[in-house]
């Protein structure tokens, strides 16, 4: 069986294959529209060749990656993903409470052995499914269970041997969650890994600064150094994991914008040797500038999540400032009227920008045609 | 074997290595802590522990919660001071550089924040701090007159009884950043244990008009001690109450031998009934 003209660009993962299948569905709909409008009508041979080629590709991806080729199939897949997530939560909680219910009846040696075996066993079960299952429902479910077993493993060992809690354990959990996420393609585990790693680095920087590791959460600036590496990581090629880079970008932006937002209203939480008010002004400006920067970068590089987060934070920054300036002394009807007025103004500016961007795109297309 | 299988196998190997390494490091740390002669070994009683009851229905693990006290004394203004030894100078030694005077005391936004710091705390068992607390309680009884007693104040006789019979004899007496220096200062390993802890400093104005003052709090890192299955039967000695005519309602009584290893992590060496 011939792979056809696009065989050199075979999708490498289920996500990539699903995107390609979705593109075919859109192409078919558009072709039908064009035919109905009388703009383009393929002759019988051409139509059959296209249909045959698409059918072959879809069948190939269905066999290889178990992609959804119909709308109903996609709806079922979404339901299965949610169910898989709930099952992972339920199973994880069950293991957690099961262990706590009975661990007191075992000797220390047995406790250590059981914890170790549970970690290894759940990991092997997850990897068994990860190697065979295309959809990832069971491997992702078991990946979450393996992660919970590993958390239990280290937490309970710490309790058994009276070891004080330390931030270093976050590094071990992050590494484990990264490995299992890349094996099973689980976005939830990747988020957990990112959070654990961010927690570790912020705590470590706090420790270098001389503070107790759990106090790092009270100093938002400690999260800034984490944002940059995650954003850089999202720019690296992820051929096998096309859904991971946007996730890295979302977390990187949150590690930047959330601390900026907090510090824009709570200057006392800053390390900067400035008065609280000055710190707040500084971060308010930083919030607006970087928010606008995120929108611009997102549009330029076609990062939709970057644009959305930039817009959300710019709006939140703006409205929180309006609240600070006007809420106390202005009648409420006037406050909300001005908020609406500002929103309409932003809408007009965005519409103008949109028209300009479409015009510049059309100009570029014309130049390419010539 | 296809590329996907090879990738999963590689990642499995990495994850297995992670589990083995994390468990190995932890167990190696435990072995190092317990291998040499303990850094300190205290013989504590039921007064220094209680058995936490939280989640007992769901958690079959057994723990002892350490009970300890802080040194208290009456200041020049007649108010009680907790940890009077933890003054500005001591805090400076611990790495807290407190300003002599606040720049703008009325503005809570100008009050400096200090993150908690990890330090080593010295626990003293039935030593001068306990004797001083007992003497203080006796002096209160002597000075107390029923006529001048204000409503709601604790009967000092009851307080003295508590101090003599029930309250913990374990006191936090010092803090430092260097374990060896602290050990040189407190060489008795049967009476003084050095444990990891932390110091928390904050500013607060008791009343709106007053200038904020700094407050400090000391917390032990490891207050819960795991009880292995071997000592489960003896745990009842610390849980069950007995009523005696002389002493009232008290615990049956036990001696808990608690060792602190080279890494300052504690473990229970033995629990036996008090003779």
């Amino acid at each position: 069986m011939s792979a056809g003209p696009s065989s050199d660009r075979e999708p490498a993962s289920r996500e990539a294959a699903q995107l390609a299948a979705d593109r075919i569905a859109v192409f078919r709909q558009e072709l039908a529209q064009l035919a109905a409008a009388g703009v383009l009508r393929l002759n019988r041979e051409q139509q059959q060749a296209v249909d045959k080629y698409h059918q072959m590709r879809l069948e190939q991806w269905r066999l290889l990656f178990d992609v959804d080729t119909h709308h109903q199939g996609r709806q079922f897949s979404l339901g299965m993903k949610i169910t898989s997530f709930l099952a992972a939560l339920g199973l994880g909680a069950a293991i957690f409470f099961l262990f706590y219910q009975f661990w007191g009846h075992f000797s220390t040696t047995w406790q250590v052995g059981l914890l170790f075996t549970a970690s290894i066993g759940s990991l092997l079960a997850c990897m068994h499914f990860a190697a065979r299952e295309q959809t990832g429902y069971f491997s992702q479910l078991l990946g979450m269970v393996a992660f919970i077993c590993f958390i239990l493993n280290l937490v309970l060992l710490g309790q058994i041997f009276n070891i004080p809690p330390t931030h270093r354990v976050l590094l071990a959990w992050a590494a484990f969650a990264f490995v299992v996420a890349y094996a099973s393609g689980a976005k939830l585990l990747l988020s957990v890994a990112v959070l654990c790693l961010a927690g570790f680095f912020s705590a470590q920087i706090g420790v270098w600064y001389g503070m107790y590791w759990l106090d790092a959460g009270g100093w938002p600036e400690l999260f800034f150094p984490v944002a940059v590496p995650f954003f850089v990581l999202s720019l690296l090629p992820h051929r096998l994991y096309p859904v991971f880079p946007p996730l890295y970008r979302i977390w990187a932006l949150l590690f930047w914008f959330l601390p900026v937002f907090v510090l824009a209203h709570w200057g006392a939480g800053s390390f900067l040797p400035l008065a609280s008010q000055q710190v707040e002004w500084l971060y308010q400006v930083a919030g607006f500038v970087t928010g606008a920067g995120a929108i611009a970068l997102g549009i330029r590089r076609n990062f939709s999540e970057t644009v959305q987060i930039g817009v959300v934070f710019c709006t939140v920054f703006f409205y929180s400032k309006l609240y600070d300036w006007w809420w106390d002394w202005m009648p409420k009807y006037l406050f909300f009227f001005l908020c609406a007025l500002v929103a309409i103004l932003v809408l007009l500016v965005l519409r103008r920008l949109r028209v300009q961007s479409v015009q510049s795109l059309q100009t570029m297309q014309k130049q390419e045609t010539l | 074997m296809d590329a996907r299988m090879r990738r999963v196998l590689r990642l499995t190997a990495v994850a297995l290595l992670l589990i083995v390494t994390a468990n190995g490091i932890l167990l190696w740390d435990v072995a190092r802590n317990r291998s040499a002669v303990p850094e300190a070994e205290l013989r504590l009683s039921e007064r220094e522990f209680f058995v936490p009851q939280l989640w007992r229905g769901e958690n079959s693990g057994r723990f002892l919660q350490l009970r300890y006290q802080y040194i208290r004394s009456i200041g020049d203004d007649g108010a009680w001071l907790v940890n009077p030894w933890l003054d500005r100078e001591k805090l400076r030694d611990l790495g807290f550089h407190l300003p002599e005077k606040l720049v703008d005391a009325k503005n809570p936004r100008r009050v400096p924040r200090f993150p908690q710091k990890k330090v080593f705390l010295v626990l003293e068992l039935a030593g001068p701090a306990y004797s001083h607390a007992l003497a203080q309680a006796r002096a209160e009884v002597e000075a107390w007159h029923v006529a001048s007693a204000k409503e709601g104040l604790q009967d000092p006789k009851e307080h003295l009884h508590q101090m003599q019979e029930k309250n913990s004899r374990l006191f936090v007496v010092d803090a430092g950043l260097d374990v060896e220096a602290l050990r040189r200062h407190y060489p008795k390993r049967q009476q003084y244990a050095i444990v990891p802890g932390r110091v928390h400093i904050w500013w607060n104005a008791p009343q709106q008009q007053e200038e904020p003052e700094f407050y400090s709090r000391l917390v032990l890192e490891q207050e819960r001690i795991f009880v292995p299955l071997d000592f489960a039967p003896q745990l009842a000695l610390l849980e069950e109450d007995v009523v005696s005519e002389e002493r009232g309602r008290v615990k049956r009584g036990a001696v808990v031998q608690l060792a602190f290893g080279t890494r300052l992590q504690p473990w229970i060496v033995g629990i036996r009934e008090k003779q």
Side-chain angles (χ1 to χ4, degrees):
Chain A
M1 185 162 52
S2 163
S6 65
S7 58
D8 55 331
R9 290 184 62 82
E10 277 297 325
S13 66
R14 183 179 187 272
E15 286 77 16
Q18 186 63 60
L19 285 174
D22 292 347
R23 276 200 305 273
I24 289 177
V26 171
F27 174 80
R28 282 174 166 176
Q29 282 173 1
E30 188 56 30
L31 198 62
Q33 280 294 133
L34 290 172
V39 179
L40 174 70
R41 195 182 295 277
L42 301 178
N43 63 35
R44 183 182 290 272
E45 288 79 37
Q46 285 172 325
Q47 184 71 52
Q48 278 176 347
V50 169
D51 283 346
K52 193 179 166 192
Y53 172 71
H54 279 163
Q55 207 53 49
M56 183 194 74
R57 302 294 287 163
L58 289 173
E59 188 58 22
Q60 198 177 16
W61 295 335
R62 200 182 61 75
L63 289 172
L64 266 177
F65 300 109
D66 198 12
V67 295
D68 295 313
T69 50
H70 297 98
H71 179 68
Q72 289 91 334
R74 273 196 290 279
Q75 294 298 316
F76 273 116
S77 292
L78 183 67
M80 285 166 77
K81 273 180 192 166
I82 294 168
T83 314
S84 163
F85 170 68
L86 292 176
L89 284 186
L91 211 53
I95 290 170
F96 189 85
F97 283 107
L98 176 78
F99 209 89
Y100 268 103
Q101 187 76 65
F102 296 109
W103 74 311
H105 305 300
F106 298 107
S107 69
T108 305
T109 315
W110 268 98
Q111 286 170 342
V112 174
L114 278 173
L115 288 168
F116 186 71
T117 313
S119 287
I120 299 273
S122 54
L123 173 77
L124 291 178
C126 163
M127 294 305 192
H128 172 82
F129 278 93
R132 287 160 183 81
E133 188 194 26
Q134 295 298 343
T135 50
Y137 300 123
F138 285 95
S139 61
Q140 289 175 17
L141 187 159
L142 288 167
M144 204 62 198
V145 171
F147 181 67
I148 289 168
C149 283
F150 190 53
I151 288 182
L152 260 181
N153 182 181
L154 299 189
V155 166
L156 291 185
L157 274 190
Q159 289 191 4
I160 290 168
F161 296 111
N162 304 309
I163 300 168
T166 165
H167 63 290
R168 289 186 202 101
V169 77
L170 291 172
L171 186 62
W173 290 337
F176 187 80
F178 269 119
V179 172
V180 179
Y182 273 86
S184 63
K187 287 189 276 184
L188 182 66
L189 262 179
L190 188 77
S191 293
V192 171
V194 167
L195 282 172
C196 285
L197 199 61
F200 168 75
F201 278 119
S202 60
Q204 184 59 55
I205 297 164
V207 168
W208 284 332
Y209 188 73
M211 65 171 63
Y212 180 63
W213 71 274
L214 263 177
D215 252 21
W219 302 85
E221 279 155 338
L222 293 176
F223 286 91
F224 290 152
V226 181
V228 180
F230 282 127
F231 201 89
V232 173
L233 198 59
S234 80
L235 302 176
L236 298 178
H238 275 75
R239 199 173 63 87
L240 296 174
Y241 312 95
V243 290
F244 282 3
L247 209 57
Y248 280 126
R249 275 194 293 277
I250 288 171
W251 282 113
L253 292 168
L254 288 178
F255 289 137
W256 172 261
F257 283 115
L258 282 176
V260 167
F261 182 73
V262 171
L263 290 166
H265 296 86
W266 181 52
S270 171
F271 287 109
L272 296 175
L274 298 170
S276 192
Q277 192 75 53
Q278 289 171 323
V279 171
E280 287 169 16
W281 287 337
L282 185 74
Y283 279 108
Q284 281 159 18
V285 174
F288 280 118
V289 171
T290 52
I295 296 170
L297 180 75
I299 292 170
R300 199 181 170 85
R301 299 290 300 261
N302 202 18
F303 296 157
S304 62
E305 74 295 319
T306 308
V307 177
Q308 284 157 12
I309 291 178
V311 168
V312 165
F313 273 93
C314 267
T315 312
V316 169
F317 272 110
F318 195 71
Y319 278 102
S320 67
K321 273 334 287 171
L322 292 187
Y323 177 85
D324 284 349
W325 290 330
W326 296 339
W327 181 259
D328 283 336
W329 64 272
M330 195 176 268
K332 301 301 165 258
Y333 72 89
L334 196 59
F335 174 80
F336 287 114
F337 178 70
L338 281 173
C339 285
L341 214 60
V342 168
I344 291 166
L345 199 70
V346 172
L347 202 63
L348 291 173
V349 172
L350 285 175
R351 195 176 70 167
R352 194 175 171 79
L353 283 172
R354 184 167 165 267
V355 170
Q356 280 178 352
S357 103
V358 170
Q359 281 172 348
S360 68
L361 202 69
Q362 283 171 344
T363 316
M364 276 169 61
Q365 280 172 346
K366 273 181 193 168
Q367 282 171 347
E368 277 174 16
T369 316
L370 287 171
Chain B
M1 193 187 291
D2 65 356
R4 178 195 171 94
M5 185 72 93
R6 277 200 300 275
R7 193 179 75 237
V8 171
L9 272 179
R10 270 200 303 273
L11 291 170
T12 308
V14 174
L16 283 173
L17 194 68
L18 260 168
I19 294 175
V20 172
T21 309
N23 278 273
I25 290 173
L26 233 145
L27 293 175
W28 171 248
D29 196 50
V30 173
R32 269 177 62 202
N33 181 58
R34 298 188 182 186
S35 58
V37 179
E39 211 279 334
E41 199 163 333
L42 305 182
R43 288 156 68 88
L44 303 162
S45 75
E46 75 286 350
R47 293 170 63 168
E48 280 75 53
F49 290 109
F50 70 91
V51 181
Q53 299 296 323
L54 197 68
W55 283 65
R56 282 298 288 273
E58 296 290 340
N59 186 355
S60 59
R62 285 164 292 272
F63 292 92
L64 287 179
Q65 180 90 23
L66 212 53
R67 293 170 72 200
Y68 55 94
Q69 298 200 59
Y70 300 112
I71 295 175
R72 284 152 46 99
S73 67
I74 298 174
D76 298 335
D77 55 354
W80 281 100
L81 291 174
V82 181
N83 298 321
W85 53 271
L86 196 61
D87 52 13
R88 275 177 186 273
E89 201 177 329
K90 184 73 188 175
L91 286 168
R92 198 181 313 121
D93 292 345
L94 295 175
F96 290 97
H97 297 283
L98 307 183
E100 283 303 320
K101 194 165 173 59
L102 293 178
V103 180
D104 184 1
K106 291 281 180 284
N107 185 357
R109 290 154 67 95
R110 302 292 297 271
V111 175
R113 281 176 76 218
F114 291 94
Q116 295 185 66
K117 273 188 190 294
K118 196 175 169 183
V119 295
F120 296 104
L121 303 176
V122 180
L123 292 175
E124 181 190 81
L125 175 66
Y130 176 60
S131 305
H132 184 255
L134 265 182
Q136 222 168 30
R138 284 197 193 98
E140 275 177 53
V141 172
E142 283 166 20
W144 191 71
H145 300 289
V146 177
S148 64
K150 290 175 188 168
E151 199 180 328
L153 283 180
Q154 192 187 18
D155 182 350
K157 279 184 190 161
E158 176 54 29
H159 177 56
L160 178 62
H161 175 69
Q162 294 264 351
M163 285 300 291
Q164 285 171 327
E165 298 287 338
K166 292 179 181 174
N167 286 3
S168 173
R169 298 160 303 156
L170 202 58
F171 280 74
V172 181
V173 294
D174 204 353
L177 299 172
D178 184 353
V179 179
E180 285 176 18
L182 286 171
R183 183 46 81 195
R184 276 198 298 277
H185 202 257
Y186 301 95
K188 291 183 185 171
R189 293 174 192 270
Q190 312 296 318
Q191 193 177 21
Y192 294 95
I194 299 168
V195 294
R198 55 185 193 270
V199 186
H200 182 205
I201 304 280
W202 71 100
W203 298 79
N204 192 24
Q207 283 163 12
Q208 287 284 316
Q209 296 80 14
E210 290 181 27
E211 188 167 310
E213 296 170 6
F214 75 87
Y215 291 81
S216 60
R217 195 163 72 96
L218 301 170
V219 186
L220 260 64
E221 278 251 278
Q222 193 67 35
E223 295 188 349
R224 275 199 336 166
I225 316 291
F226 180 74
V227 182
L229 185 65
D230 305 344
F231 301 122
Q234 290 97 312
L235 201 66
L237 300 171
L238 293 154
E239 282 192 287
E240 290 171 9
D241 284 343
V242 288
V243 181
S244 75
E245 279 187 19
E246 311 90 64
R247 298 174 66 204
R249 192 178 188 82
V250 290
K251 301 283 176 210
R252 272 175 67 190
V255 176
V256 179
Q257 208 162 340
L258 192 66
F260 295 85
T262 49
R263 312 262 305 151
L264 308 180
Q265 291 153 9
W267 77 96
I268 293 174
V269 178
I271 305 178
R272 60 177 172 76
E273 193 161 8
K274 200 187 270 181
Q275 298 301 313

